[in-house]
């Protein structure tokens, strides 16, 4: 199924697979370095990035310098208030978001101002945010090696690569009709949250984070109901260390199987050993897996579907309350 170009094209009318293939070559929406200190705060899907990019920035909200804000597309005043607060401290404010003129006018009677940086409203927008932050915070010397690894992932996961040689297609088959239990090395909870969103938004399926202390979940969470593990797959993400190897051994006795999306194995590129960029590589690879997973379920991976309806309903609720 995943090796039939006609089937893949027909089931991907929004063109997410083609967008994934182009992404490493797309450049950045804004490649300027920004004055320090740099703060980062976000709503919506990009909120998972707040703890992830903490090593790059100087705080969530800063005084002076540059304040980067991401408007996640849900109606509400948080981003507008953050902007006013940051501007009052003398910070240069950069708001990222997708422009929805109709929704903005409906919610705020003329709407919020156009974002300073307009992003495509879709599952790849989060990657654009990280790239902008990389430039803003001076990570540019690492980006060449990072881009090489993105290209390597795209090349090996492309639709034209058959399943037996394609790590994303192969993993999608192994996860098919199972629920991934996400495991990372310590400190990887933010990556788990991002991958959970990827599976929800792209594959239209559930993935369950184990949190920052996976040994506890693996050892104890199935004691009362062993059958819960029958539909679960332990999915090790990122870089496997001694602790995650132990977790994998435990989960092998608790869940249906254990799989890996770990850098440097199974056709995935070697890690950069830079935590933020390595997490982005894993999330990008997971998006390929999730896209093929949606296609296995005969779903359109790029369809915003119910999520778009929920955002519209949230906007209508705020409008009704004004």
């Amino acid at each position: 199924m995943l090796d039939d170009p006609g089937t893949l094209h027909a089931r991907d009318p929004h063109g997410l697979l083609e967008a994934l293939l182009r992404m490493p070559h797309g450049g950045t929406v804004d490649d300027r370095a920004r004055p320090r200190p740099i703060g980062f705060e976000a709503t919506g899907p990009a909120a998972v990035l707040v703890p992830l990019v903490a090593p790059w920035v100087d705080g969530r909200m800063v005084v002076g310098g540059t304040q980067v804000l991401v408007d996640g597309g849900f109606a509400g005043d948080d981003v507008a208030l953050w902007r006013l607060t940051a501007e009052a401290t003398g910070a240069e404010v950069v708001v990222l978001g997708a422009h929805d003129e109709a929704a903005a006018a409906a919610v705020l009677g003329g709407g919020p101002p156009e974002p300073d940086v307009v992003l495509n409203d879709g599952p790849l927008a989060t990657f654009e945010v990280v790239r902008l932050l990389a430039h803003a915070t001076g990570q540019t010397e690492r980006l060449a090696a990072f881009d090489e690894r993105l290209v390597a992932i795209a090349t090996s996961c492309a639709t034209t690569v058959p399943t037996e040689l394609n790590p994303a297609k192969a993993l999608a088959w192994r996860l098919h009709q199972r629920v991934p239990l996400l495991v990372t090395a310590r400190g990887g909870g933010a990556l788990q949250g991002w991958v959970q969103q990827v599976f929800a938004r792209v594959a239209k399926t559930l993935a369950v984070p184990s949190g920052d202390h996976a040994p506890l979940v693996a050892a104890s969470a199935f004691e009362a109901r062993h059958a819960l593990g029958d539909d679960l797959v332990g999915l090790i993400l990122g870089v496997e260390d001694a602790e995650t190897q132990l977790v994998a051994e435990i989960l092998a006795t608790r869940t249906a199987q254990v799989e890996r999306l770990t850098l440097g194995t199974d056709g995935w590129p070697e890690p950069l050993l830079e935590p933020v960029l390595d997490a982005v590589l894993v999330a990008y690879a997971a998006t390929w897996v999730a896209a093929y997973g949606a296609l296995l379920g005969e779903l359109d991976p790029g369809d915003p579907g119910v999520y778009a309806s929920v955002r519209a309903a949230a906007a209508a609720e705020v409008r009704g309350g004004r």
Side-chain angles (χ1 to χ4, degrees), residues 135-175:
H135 285 282
T137 58
Q139 313 298 318
T140 50
E141 63 184 35
R142 296 186 173 104
L143 289 181
F146 171 70
D147 287 340
E148 288 176 0
R149 285 160 171 78
L150 285 179
V151 170
I153 293 171
T155 301
S156 64
C157 295
T159 58
T160 53
V161 179
T163 298
E164 62 269 20
L165 300 175
N166 189 315
K169 289 181 181 180
L171 184 54
W173 273 113
R174 297 197 298 273
L175 297 178

Side-chain angles (χ1 to χ4, degrees), residues 92-107:
E92 175 189 354
V93 180
V94 182
V95 178
L96 290 68
H99 178 62
D100 185 340
E101 184 174 351
V107 174

